[in-house]
């Protein structure tokens, strides 16, 4: 088993808990002293940093939400003067102002180390040739992965997102062994490769580290088959640090969260009650060591479960299950919650269906309707109408029994649904337009 920092990744849990308590206290003092918005929140909750004596006291601390970041736009949640901030990233967000995040030199150092751990956990070494097709720029994917890849001594190709034919040429000519990008972009690359007549056996790519958007186990299988690689899931968010908050190990039974830096909880998103391990709910993260933008109990809106059992890989850090979706992407159809990942899982179990789909929600009168548009393979599309109708009916039935709500299925020609070079858009909600 390869580790980047075995001492920290496999730290005995009792030591880890001591470290967490010490770091949590430090974070509480830091935000209380240097961030007026946190002082106000702590005062309103009737808690002082001195009251944090056990990890259980975390529960007494206030939550932080995306709205808090918006209200303090751009820099008011920073806990250090701007002279200490050496990098700024932001995430675009669909509405209003972007979310702005800052890093001190030490924050960047920790992020780089976490990415080095992540890449190593997925098999990256100094002999790897890493093609990093996450977007470079304000998005944390590009630079985050880049510095980690340099830290492990790999040869990095900073190809960024887009220009897909060139990506494939680079893979061929430079002998890329590890690809990093969003899962939807990996799939698009596979499609363009086959159009160009490039076979996986023409390439040296062995593995891929994919994240920044939800993707199902069926999508993993699809990508692994089409590219003939080993695909790992990586999780992160800009508010907390960027990619590298959690990563799968070779056992792929959950993503190990870097618990020496991040304290995690699962809450019921409605009642905000902390749920026991194993329950599904919203992931809440406290970044204990961040200097520029430490966040206390940040509500990620990502839904997952936690598992603290020892993993066979030897790492002691808690595992989170693959994220099933974020609450923003959940559509409620006649009272039933539907996530794109649930639809994806069903679709990819049906032969003849391509892994490209879109959920379109509309309201007719008082009734919401979910239409699932999905591409079918060329051969099926040009087959008899009856066969197409049979397939449509089968998908409707499968979706209805998995989701518990009737869905309209529209089979579309290959290559009609927009391809993504970054995060894929899976839902169009026409009710809000
Ligand atoms: O997406 C950071 C990142 C870059 C992660 C590259 C992994 C790889 P944001 O743009 O701030 O940051 O978006 C964060 O993306 O709250 C999740 O909803 C979603 N997300 C990220 N990774 C995963 C994943 C980056 N592996 C938001 N599975 C998060 C599911 C993910 N969703």
């Amino acid at each position: 088993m390869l580790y980047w920092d075995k001492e920290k990744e496999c730290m005995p849990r009792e030591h880890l808990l001591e470290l967490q308590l010490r770091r949590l206290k430090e974070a509480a003092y830091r935000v209380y002293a240097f961030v007026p918005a946190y002082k106000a929140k702590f005062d309103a909750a009737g808690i002082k940093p001195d009251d944090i004596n056990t990890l259980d006291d975390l529960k007494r601390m206030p939550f932080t939400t995306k709205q808090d970041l918006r209200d303090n736009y751009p820099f008011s949640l920073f806990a250090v003067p701007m002279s200490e901030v050496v990098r700024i990233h932001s995430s675009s967000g669909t509405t209003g102002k972007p979310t702005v995040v800052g890093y001190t030199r030490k924050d960047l150092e920790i992020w780089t180390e976490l990415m080095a751990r992540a890449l190593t956990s997925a098999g990256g070494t100094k002999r790897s040739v890493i093609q990093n097709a996450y977007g470079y720029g304000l998005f944390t994917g590009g630079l985050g992965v880049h510095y980690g890849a340099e830290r492990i001594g790999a040869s990095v190709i900073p190809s960024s997102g887009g220009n897909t034919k060139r990506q494939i040429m680079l893979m061929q000519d430079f002998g890329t062994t590890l690809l990093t990008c969003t899962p939807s972009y990996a799939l698009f690359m596979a499609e363009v490769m086959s159009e160009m007549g490039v076979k996986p056996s023409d390439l040296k790519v062995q593995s891929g580290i994919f994240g920044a958007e939800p993707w199902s186990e069926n999508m993993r299988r699809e990508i692994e088959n089409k590219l003939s690689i080993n695909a790992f899931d990586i999780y992160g968010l800009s508010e907390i640090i960027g990619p590298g908050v959690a990563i799968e190990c070779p056992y792929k039974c959950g993503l190990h969260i870097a618990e020496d830096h991040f304290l995690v909880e699962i809450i019921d998103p409605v009642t905000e009650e902390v749920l026991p391990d194993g329950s599904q709910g919203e992931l809440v993260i406290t970044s204990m060591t961040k200097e520029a933008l430490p966040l206390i109990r940040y509500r990620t809106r990502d839904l997952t479960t936690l598992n603290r059992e020892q993993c066979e890989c030897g790492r002691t850090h808690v595992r989170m299950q693959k994220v099933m979706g974020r609450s923003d992407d959940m559509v409620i159809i006649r009272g039933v919650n539907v996530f794109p990942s649930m639809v994806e899982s069903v679709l990819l179990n049906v032969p003849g269906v391509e892994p490209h789909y879109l959920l379109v929600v509309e309201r007719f009168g008082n009734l919401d309707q979910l239409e699932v548009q999905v591409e079918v393979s060329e051969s099926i599309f040009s087959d008899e109408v009856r066969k197409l109708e049979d397939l449509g009916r089968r998908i409707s039935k499968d979706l209805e029994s998995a989701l518990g709500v009737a869905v309209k299925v529209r089979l579309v020609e290959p290559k009609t649904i927009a391809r993504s070079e970054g995060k894929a858009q899976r839902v169009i909600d026409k009710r809000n337009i």
Side-chain angles (χ1 to χ4, degrees):
M1 185 61 53
L2 276 178
Y3 308 100
W4 175 252
D5 189 343
K6 187 167 182 199
E7 202 185 308
K8 299 210 179 77
E9 294 171 67
C10 303
M11 184 183 274
R13 281 206 72 85
E14 62 274 23
H15 294 170
L16 187 60
L17 298 179
E18 282 167 22
L19 179 72
Q20 285 181 330
L21 179 59
R22 201 171 69 236
R23 291 186 163 172
L24 177 64
K25 283 186 187 172
E26 284 166 10
Y29 282 113
R30 208 165 336 118
V31 296
Y32 195 80
F34 299 120
V35 186
Y38 268 122
K39 180 171 187 304
K41 264 178 181 280
F42 275 54
D43 289 346
I47 181 165
K48 296 239 172 323
D50 276 339
D51 299 332
I52 311 293
N53 296 311
T54 68
L55 284 174
D56 213 37
D57 291 327
L58 177 65
K59 283 201 190 87
R60 303 171 53 198
M61 293 162 92
F63 290 107
T64 309
T65 63
K66 190 120 185 155
Q67 190 58 44
D68 291 314
L69 287 153
R70 291 209 181 100
D71 293 345
N72 290 283
Y73 179 85
F75 304 140
S76 302
L77 285 183
F78 286 9
V80 296
M82 281 308 278
S83 54
E84 296 303 309
V85 172
V86 297
R87 175 102 63 82
I88 292 168
H89 279 284
S90 87
S91 73
S92 54
T94 41
T95 49
K97 295 276 193 194
T99 302
V100 181
V101 299
Y103 302 78
T104 63
R105 207 170 285 288
K106 187 173 156 222
D107 293 336
L108 289 184
E109 173 59 25
I110 289 173
W111 189 16
T112 298
E113 279 291 305
L114 294 183
M115 269 313 308
R117 280 188 204 176
L119 291 161
T120 308
S121 170
T125 68
K126 60 188 291 203
R127 283 170 296 283
S128 303
V129 178
I130 301 183
Q131 186 161 331
N132 184 21
Y134 285 112
Y136 281 65
L138 286 172
F139 175 53
T140 52
L143 289 179
V145 172
H146 182 99
Y147 285 105
E150 282 189 353
R151 176 64 53 95
I152 66 169
S155 314
V156 192
I157 308 169
S159 59
S160 195
N163 206 340
T164 311
K165 283 194 176 136
R166 191 188 60 181
Q167 299 273 2
I168 291 156
M169 182 192 80
L170 294 175
M171 274 189 230
Q172 271 183 300
D173 296 352
F174 296 180
T176 303
T177 61
L178 202 165
L179 175 67
T180 54
C181 61
T182 60
S184 55
Y185 193 36
L187 202 60
F188 181 29
M189 284 195 201
E191 188 174 66
V192 176
M193 251 171 68
S194 103
E195 283 167 7
M196 290 167 69
V198 176
K199 293 188 290 300
S201 56
D202 298 333
L203 304 178
K204 295 204 179 115
V205 186
Q206 287 160 1
S207 40
I209 305 182
F210 307 122
E213 63 185 6
W215 52 309
S216 61
E217 281 300 334
N218 284 346
M219 183 63 89
R220 185 201 316 258
R221 215 168 308 133
E222 194 81 30
I223 293 173
E224 290 189 328
N225 290 338
K226 288 207 154 119
L227 286 169
S228 201
I229 58 170
N230 193 0
F232 292 85
D233 192 359
I234 182 166
Y235 171 83
L237 60 166
S238 9
E239 294 89 323
I240 294 303
I241 206 155
V245 172
I247 180 76
E248 278 179 332
C249 66
Y251 289 90
K252 295 189 190 171
C253 46
L255 291 79
H256 290 279
I257 301 176
E259 266 194 295
D260 46 341
H261 296 280
F262 311 118
L263 203 50
V264 290
E265 307 162 88
I266 292 287
I267 62 162
D268 178 319
V270 179
T271 63
E272 298 188 337
E273 180 200 351
V274 178
L275 301 176
D277 287 349
S279 327
Q280 188 181 78
E282 178 180 339
L283 181 67
V284 171
I285 310 181
T286 299
S287 49
M288 297 174 289
T289 50
K290 270 294 239 16
E291 288 182 338
L293 181 65
L295 294 183
I296 303 291
R297 304 190 86 197
Y298 183 66
R299 292 191 56 171
T300 63
R301 292 175 297 173
D302 293 323
L303 298 174
T304 184
T305 60
L306 295 179
N307 175 359
R308 274 177 232 268
E309 278 166 29
Q310 170 83 47
C311 179
E312 285 191 62
C313 74
R315 290 178 180 80
T316 50
H317 294 183
V318 64
R319 280 168 286 164
M320 63 187 265
Q321 207 179 45
K322 240 175 167 337
V323 170
M324 84 166 295
R326 48 188 297 120
S327 40
D328 318 33
D329 280 342
M330 182 181 82
V331 286
I332 305 179
I333 303 295
R334 301 192 285 282
V336 177
N337 300 347
V338 176
F339 286 94
S341 62
M342 295 154 88
V343 172
E344 181 178 293
S345 285
V346 173
L347 293 177
L348 297 189
N349 266 338
V350 182
V353 161
E354 295 291 319
H356 303 285
Y357 66 96
L358 186 65
L359 278 63
V360 181
V361 191
E362 279 183 88
R363 177 165 292 163
F364 297 102
N366 279 328
L367 205 64
D368 291 336
Q369 179 195 273
L370 170 62
E371 177 180 273
V372 173
Q373 300 181 357
V374 58
E375 288 183 14
V376 290
S377 62
E378 194 73 58
S379 61
I380 294 202
F381 205 80
S382 48
D383 216 325
E384 303 157 41
V385 176
R386 195 178 51 81
K387 276 205 182 146
L388 210 56
E389 283 174 356
D390 284 349
L391 182 65
R393 262 193 298 275
R394 154 144 194 221
I395 299 175
S396 287
K397 213 168 113 242
D398 288 0
L399 281 173
E400 186 166 346
S401 69
L403 307 176
V405 66
V407 172
K408 185 175 164 208
V409 173
R410 189 142 80 88
L411 304 181
V412 298
E413 265 183 85
K415 312 216 170 102
T416 4
I417 291 171
R419 301 298 190 251
S420 136
E421 294 172 349
K423 295 184 191 240
Q425 192 190 7
R426 303 289 192 195
V427 182
I428 296 181
D429 196 337
K430 295 189 174 167
R431 294 173 302 187
N432 306 331
I433 296 172

